[in-house]
Amino acid sequence: MKESILTNRASETYLERGTKAYRHVSLAFLAAGIVTFANLYCVQPLFPMFAARFHVTPTFSSISLSITTLILSVSLPIAASVSDAWGRKPVMVTSLVTSSALGIIAAVCPSFTSLLVIRALQGLTLAGLPAVAMTYLSEEIAANGLGYAMGLYISGNSIGGLLGRISISLLADHFSWRIGLCAFAAVSLLLSIYFWRNLPKSRHFKPKPADPASALQAFGEALRDRGLLCLYLVGALLMGGFVCLYNYMGFRLLAPPYGLSQSVIGMLFIVYVAGTFSSSWMGRLADRIGRKRVLFANVVLMGGGAAITLLSNLIWIVIGMIVFTFGFFGGHSTASSWVGRRAVDTRAQASSLYLLFYYVGSSIGGSLGGLFYSSLGWPGTVGMILVANLCAMILSIVLIRIPPVSRTGAPSSIRNESSPSRR
């Protein structure tokens, strides 16, 4: 009887869906997702302008994005370890504010080299939010609402990608790309302040002393789990294909026979709305029926969308982008929340490793896609994406055969790990 009372009281400290605190957390992470993706991918529609302004090739212009994702990826484990000692919220707030400030500096860089330096620094500072976000949500949200909260955070990513690309494309076309970067960096700073003011302090965070040996041991445990390793690789493959398509679609549509303007190409990024819906809806669906089936379905959708863009009709290209984006964000939302549920004692390390693979995939896929586009055109680019998706499908099938992690700790029993969200 006494044990039951203690369990009920402990479970009340986790944020349940429908409560005011849960809404505050969800909206704060929606804002954080907007800031992160907007600052990370704001340069993507500007590649043709960088190529013309700084006299560089399309592949080289894409380095302004690849260098940010690469530095971000290798910084994620460091940020996760710092959050174990310093706290989840301080690391995330510092990440958002400093990366927004660097966005303003990027707008006034006089050369492509200086732009790359600032973009590299942004990769370092941006790491603090994604490295900790999944860990914070997994620690603070009740199991039956985790998928939706994670999905809303991923929705913020898609909204940030949408608003950043459209607003910067419009401002670049009518004014300059420098004004576009500066304006959105200022908006990002305001959203960062909103995040700081509205995110509750951690209730379940327990600081750990900085111990490199223990950190390495925790990362080793997070790498030895076969299920987690499959999820890391799925994230890398999906993200590599996603960035590849959006990196070079602008070059394709600027050239004949389409000859679209920068503003019109920027407006095409409104297909990100599909990702905004997909991530939260798929998160709820995964909470109900399990992540295994949902992940596989989204990988198939993403590959199908990429194949549709091979058609020459612009309407079909847009439809393909919608299907592709829907599948990507649904798959990413499912895989990332699955990492948080599968990792028990190494959530921070597992989450940072997932994102390390995720952003390394972005860097490799984004730059490698340029070589395929330059030598084989759009069919070569899509072919690379489909190979990555096929590998992700195989890994999804392997995941179905890997049993769930056995959970015996007190927090597991409190949070009802027998629910479908564990699958």
Side-chain angles (χ1 to χ4, degrees), residues 159-181:
I159 293 172
L162 168 66
L163 294 179
R165 288 169 171 89
I166 290 179
S167 61
I168 287 173
S169 294
L170 291 172
L171 289 169
D173 225 14
H174 293 89
F175 300 99
S176 74
W177 61 266
R178 297 184 186 276
I179 290 177
L181 287 178

Side-chain angles (χ1 to χ4, degrees), residues 162-386:
L162 168 66
L163 294 179
R165 288 169 171 89
I166 290 179
S167 61
I168 287 173
S169 294
L170 291 172
L171 289 169
D173 225 14
H174 293 89
F175 300 99
S176 74
W177 61 266
R178 297 184 186 276
I179 290 177
L181 287 178
C182 187
F184 209 85
V187 173
S188 295
L189 193 57
L190 292 176
L191 289 174
S192 300
I193 295 172
Y194 172 85
F195 178 84
W196 167 57
R197 296 292 302 272
N198 286 273
L199 186 72
K201 293 181 179 179
S202 299
R203 296 183 181 187
H204 301 282
F205 169 71
K206 295 180 181 179
K208 300 176 184 177
D211 182 358
S214 297
L216 287 174
Q217 182 180 0
F219 278 114
E221 291 178 10
L223 279 169
R224 281 192 295 270
D225 185 293
R226 289 187 302 137
L228 288 174
L229 186 58
C230 285
L231 289 168
Y232 304 154
L233 293 171
V234 167
L237 292 164
L238 295 186
M239 186 57 168
F242 180 75
V243 171
C244 178
L245 184 138
Y246 277 96
N247 272 6
Y248 303 103
M249 181 62 79
F251 286 100
R252 182 192 184 191
L253 297 181
L254 279 169
Y258 307 103
L260 302 183
S261 68
Q262 188 68 46
S263 295
V264 174
I265 292 174
M267 292 302 294
L268 287 178
F269 285 108
I270 201 168
V271 301
Y272 261 54
V273 171
T276 303
F277 168 74
S278 170
S279 53
S280 56
W281 185 69
M282 288 294 180
R284 289 197 299 269
L285 187 63
D287 284 338
R288 290 203 309 270
I289 70 172
R291 292 179 168 81
K292 295 177 180 179
R293 284 173 284 179
V294 173
L295 178 61
F296 183 83
N298 279 288
V299 173
V300 173
L301 275 175
M302 186 177 169
I308 292 172
T309 66
L310 288 169
L311 300 174
S312 58
N313 186 283
L314 185 59
I315 294 176
W316 279 110
I317 291 173
V318 174
I319 292 173
M321 292 173 68
I322 292 172
V323 175
F324 178 84
T325 305
F326 186 95
F328 167 74
F329 279 102
H332 171 42
S333 173
T334 305
S336 58
S337 62
W338 195 347
V339 169
R341 300 308 304 148
R342 187 173 181 89
V344 182
D345 299 320
T346 58
R347 283 199 177 106
Q349 289 75 23
S351 297
S352 65
L353 283 171
Y354 171 82
L355 291 170
L356 186 152
F357 278 73
Y358 178 81
Y359 287 114
V360 166
S362 170
S363 299
I364 295 174
S367 295
L368 189 61
L371 299 177
F372 279 87
Y373 181 75
S374 298
S375 58
L376 299 173
W378 190 249
T381 305
V382 172
M384 193 201 87
I385 294 170
L386 292 178

Side-chain angles (χ1 to χ4, degrees), residues 46-116:
L46 303 178
F47 291 165
M49 290 189 172
F50 290 162
R53 170 66 179 81
F54 298 113
H55 308 291
V56 296
T57 64
T59 302
F60 199 70
S61 69
S62 72
I63 295 177
S64 58
L65 173 58
S66 297
I67 194 170
T68 310
T69 55
L70 181 62
I71 298 297
L72 184 151
S73 65
V74 299
S75 302
L76 288 166
I78 300 173
S81 297
V82 170
S83 77
D84 279 344
W86 193 18
R88 313 300 187 204
K89 183 175 178 179
V91 169
M92 290 189 287
V93 171
T94 301
S95 168
L96 295 176
V97 172
T98 54
S99 58
S100 299
L102 285 169
I104 297 174
I105 298 174
V108 296
C109 287
S111 66
F112 194 66
T113 301
S114 60
L115 177 64
L116 291 182

Side-chain angles (χ1 to χ4, degrees), residues 101-159:
L102 285 169
I104 297 174
I105 298 174
V108 296
C109 287
S111 66
F112 194 66
T113 301
S114 60
L115 177 64
L116 291 182
V117 171
I118 296 301
R119 291 289 295 168
L121 290 174
Q122 273 192 303
L124 178 65
T125 58
L126 279 169
L129 189 282
V132 182
M134 290 193 292
T135 305
Y136 178 97
L137 291 171
S138 297
E139 288 176 343
E140 305 300 325
I141 301 293
N144 59 3
L146 178 61
Y148 179 74
M150 192 74 75
L152 202 59
Y153 163 58
I154 305 299
S155 294
N157 292 345
S158 65
I159 293 172

